[in-house]
Amino acid sequence: MSARDASYTPWAWTRSLFGDGNILRLLIACVVIFVVMSILRPDVFPTPENFLSMGSQFPEIGILALAIMITMLTGGIDLSVVSVANMSGVLAAFVIRALIPADAEAGQVALGLAAAVVVAFLTGALAGFVNGLLVAYVNLTPILATLGTMTLYTGLTVAMTRGNAVFAENRLVFIGNTNVLGFIPIPLIIFAGVVAVFALILNRTAFGVKVYMIGSNVNAARFSGINVRRVLLMTYILSGLLAAVVAIIFLGRNNSAKWDFAPSYVLQAIVVAVLAGVNPSGGSGRVTGIVLAILALQFVSTGMNMLLFTISGGQFFKEFAWGALLLTIMVANHLSEQRRLRITRRSKPET
Amino acid sequence: MSDVFLSLTHISKSYAGVQALDDVSLVVKPAEIHCLVGENGSGKSTLIKIIAGVVTPDQGEIVINGKPFRRLTPMDAIREGIQVIYQDFSLFPNLTVAENIALNYELSRNARIVRWGQVRQLAEAALGKIGVRLPLDAEVESISVADKQLVAICRALVQNARLIIMDEATTALTEKEIRALFKVIHNVQQEGVAVLFVSHKLDEVLEIADKAMIIRNGKVVVDVDAANLDRNKLVYYMTGRRIEEADYDYTPQQKRPLLEVIHLSSRGNFQDVSFSLWPGEIVGVTGLLGSGRTELALSLFGVLPVDRGEIRIDGKPVHINSIQSAIEHGIGYVPEDRLTEGLFLDQSINRNIVIRTIDGLTGRGGLLSITRLKERARQWIRDLSIKTSDPELPVKSLSGGNQQRVVLAKWLASKPRILILNGPTVGVDVGSKSELHDIIKNLAREGIGILVISDDIPELLHVCNRILLMRRGRLAGMFDRRELDENKLTSLLTESTPAAPAASTTQSLSPQIG
Amino acid sequence: MLKKLFSRQETLVGVTLIVLCLVIGAINPVFWTPGNWFDLARSATVTGIFAIGVLIVLVSGGIDVSFTAIAVFSMYTTTVIMNQIGFEGGMPAFFAMSGAIGIVLGLINAFFIARFRLPTLIVTLGTQSLFRGFLLFVIGSKIIRDLPPGMAQYSGAFLFTVTDARGITVGLHSAVLFLVAVAIVAQLLLRYTMLGRSIYALGGSREAAERAGFNIVQTQVFIYAFVGLLAGIAGMIYGGLNRQANSQDIVGQELDVIAATVLGGASIAGGRGSVIGTLLGVMLVTVMSNSLILVGIPSIWQRVVIGAIIIIGTAVPAIRSLRAARRANVDIEPLPAE
């Protein structure tokens, strides 16, 4: 049977939906984990309360993973996302403290919060701009450039705050504890919005296609007249903006910002992106993958917490499970790729 | 010792029912230069892999040095003195010349400790054998392609090679370097080493071979003394048909040159180059590697900086300092290395074709229109007859010739007025080559001005109506196609004294207009 | 030749380090006191050993972010086991056990990397979570301050002590010998053994290394086991010097160590890097972060300065190579005299 015949099956339509097998495997993983957890803890896992709590937890890392994704698509990476989020958060908190007095009326509060959000976004964009300059114009390896700026931004945040937490005077906590229509956490809505915009940017704009092309072959992109530097600069700015979104959610959940908040999120976001099937050397990866990957990881973490809450240190099992899941999916991808190669090789002679 | 080093008899190999090699027999004698000729896909690579022990044949016998091998392993092959120099040389760019030459030998004798004095001695001795000098402590990354080739040959010699297999050894070399390589091959031959020279460049084969074996579709077409071959016979054997190419006959269309290059210089790249390009012209730019021909093309395309001089398009001076500005002025550039500079191998054929013009493919709300994108790509797939079952497949699923058409389509989609083609048919087999030449000629007939950067002499003569010769960063001559034949162009290309000065007068900046 | 020497990252970092020392010393003479240098040596020891491990991985074309997890895992587990069996002996047994655990964890990395050919960054990200999660969940998440006697005494194991002008006794800690030994072993390994050269070969071109017949699986197994061993030892030193075993410590420093190594000239793309450069990179970062206070810069600026060093230190060679690429090397013929 030739390779062409092999692809002509009743299941051919799934290719357009799932791309490679990775998305399908992720979907299966999500469902399996969900079902298993629901069977193991039917009293607490498949409950509205739990969905609410999960829905307010994963958006942060989910959005950071999108930031990692867009830079990874170009063959780069942005290790500075969390430091940018913390810096933006601290500055936004400063703005809130400065502009909104304790007895402020509604209008003043709204104005102050708007200013805080604008400052957070400007900070994110500026930090991303610096990253982009270093990567696109100075030609630094992205790992190194963003490693350097990560230290730099963290350092600036330390210097601005003398290492202390900055409180946001309860002005943003509504983000963390309001549920729209009583059952949709605001962070989840933000996440959905970001995902939608992101999917549109990547799949339905010239910019998005260029991002993939640059990741696929930067030289060819340059010779095709793509303004590689500008596109790279834009991706790092986008990444910085996403970090600023996360900064606002951080403030909403914690009511404060601090330089050393959530450093482990960088690696966790990379785990999500890789699990989602984003190729670390660039050129491929889908937003759907990110959504499924973050859901799978959230189900695992929550489920594990429920199973192990009686054991001391049970909260750390999550870390173990994430690592195990990442390695398992990578090995599974590798094995299926091997099998696919063997099939094509058999059906097509090498010359 | 027997007078046969290697003999393969009745070798067959199939992959899932497809016959890659069918009853192939080959005899290589010591100190013999045996050429293996065939189009891409003819089974050359499979044969090399079988000799190197990488692939086991389904049937047939392998005898090396009188010893029969049932299952030849790569280590067996190396131990018997078979060395393969792959197209990419398989060198270590981060290590020195000396270490590259000696490392594999040290490895094969199971050394645990590196003695640097010995490494240098080995390298020096090997370089001496082939009569060349190279800086032993230079990193291989920093030396030229031709020198890398020599390092690879030395490495093979150090390992006591009795047979060196060279896979498409000359692809990246200039005429002059090929000459030097041939001399080295003859030196190697003097050492009693046989060479299996794999190529699809016919002229080389005719020049260097003692014997030539031509294979097509996995079968041996002929295996004869090279003395009994000529060019036409070779083409016939390779493709199974005779290819007659008509020269391009240029008819002037307009009264104004499209592109004028006036005293253009780029420090460290080329100096004081002047010429013009008229609509409908195909002008060849040739010269050895390092003559500045590629650099000139890159400057016109805004990749390399211009320091002095002027570029005019339609008589108006233009400033080209980036690829974007070149494109704005209607210049397209098809790079030399299709794989690293031309294509996005993992991306779809559709995306590869439309990427140049993607900014214009927007639909409602400024978003990309997928329908228009596919429509645009379909049109080019049809026009350039790109053979594919599904344009959503990655472009790496295509053959070399079809890949090159995708690169062309990418540029044609943006309707360039000036098209620079750098090595348009490098690594394309003979059949596809003449088809690509036809496409190029048709484009010129539509009024595009085309610059063809190449050192493939028959190609230049078939395709161009005018040929510029570059030498050491300067324009050394400018010739009408009708003044030249293969011999004359070859000698012009390889001689080191300046060409006829008459050619560089101001008048000959323009083509003769009737 | 001289030009080549000056274009090397090692030279750049070395000169910067010397200038920095002179400047700091001129501002505050305390910099040149033995006490300060003993402190610097002590701070550089653990980072230095980690960095040598990172160097070897980088040269081979990989990247490892799990070594900190291996270090804390080995150290904490060793402490727990030794407490459990009531071991009364000296430090060598601790190093042996911690190193052995490190090797085992390194072999797990090697298994995924060599057997499945997965990208090293991804594998070590995964194993970092795996090791740390396992450590905190299964072995323990509490800080152990009640150390076995051998380990408890280790922080006082000075090579020698001097009493300075103010009557304060300061000592050079013996742990620095580990760094010296590791550096020498790594230098000999990388420069004079076929194994070492095969690491460079692998980082230079994996395909060429395969074709030449290098046993890549064996090389990778060695690399990650060796890095595991170094991490185990460094983790033990860390625990001993701090007189506590904290299972939530160390992880988080990996990016800083990688930065120092790269600053010393090791290439993220593989195939390049030297022991001397790595040591210089580590020293530069250590001197910088330990001496800010000496020159009157508040310590809150420490990270800003380090971030700036990393950016500038890597940007200079990047800009240089960018410039060079704009000029090809055509040997332009001079105009014939008219």
Side-chain angles (χ1 to χ4, degrees), chain B residues 86 88 90 92-94 99 103-104 107 111-114 116 139 141 267-269 271 290 303-304 307 472 474, chain C residues 191-194 197 200-201 204-205 207-209 211-214 271-272 326-328 330-335:
Chain B
Y86 291 96
D88 59 6
S90 288
F92 300 103
N94 55 330
E99 197 175 3
L103 190 64
N104 290 7
L107 181 72
R112 303 238 175 256
I113 303 297
V114 183
W116 288 96
E139 276 184 9
E141 192 172 60
R267 193 159 42 80
N269 295 323
Q271 199 149 31
V303 179
L304 291 174
D307 300 315
R472 294 181 66 191
R474 292 179 187 279
Chain C
R191 179 80 187 146
Y192 295 102
T193 69
M194 278 306 280
R197 299 322 286 172
Y200 278 94
S205 166
E207 203 183 7
R211 283 180 182 161
F214 281 105
R272 276 168 226 279
R326 295 279 285 178
R327 303 285 170 188
V330 177
D331 180 18
I332 292 176
E333 186 178 32
L335 271 180

Side-chain angles (χ1 to χ4, degrees), chain A residues 204 217 220 223-224 283 346 351, chain B residues 16 45 343 356 368 410-411:
Chain A
R204 294 296 299 278
N217 183 346
F223 276 106
S224 303
R346 247 184 279 130
T351 48
Chain B
S45 318
L343 290 169
R356 263 298 303 121
L368 216 53
K410 173 174 81 181
W411 277 103

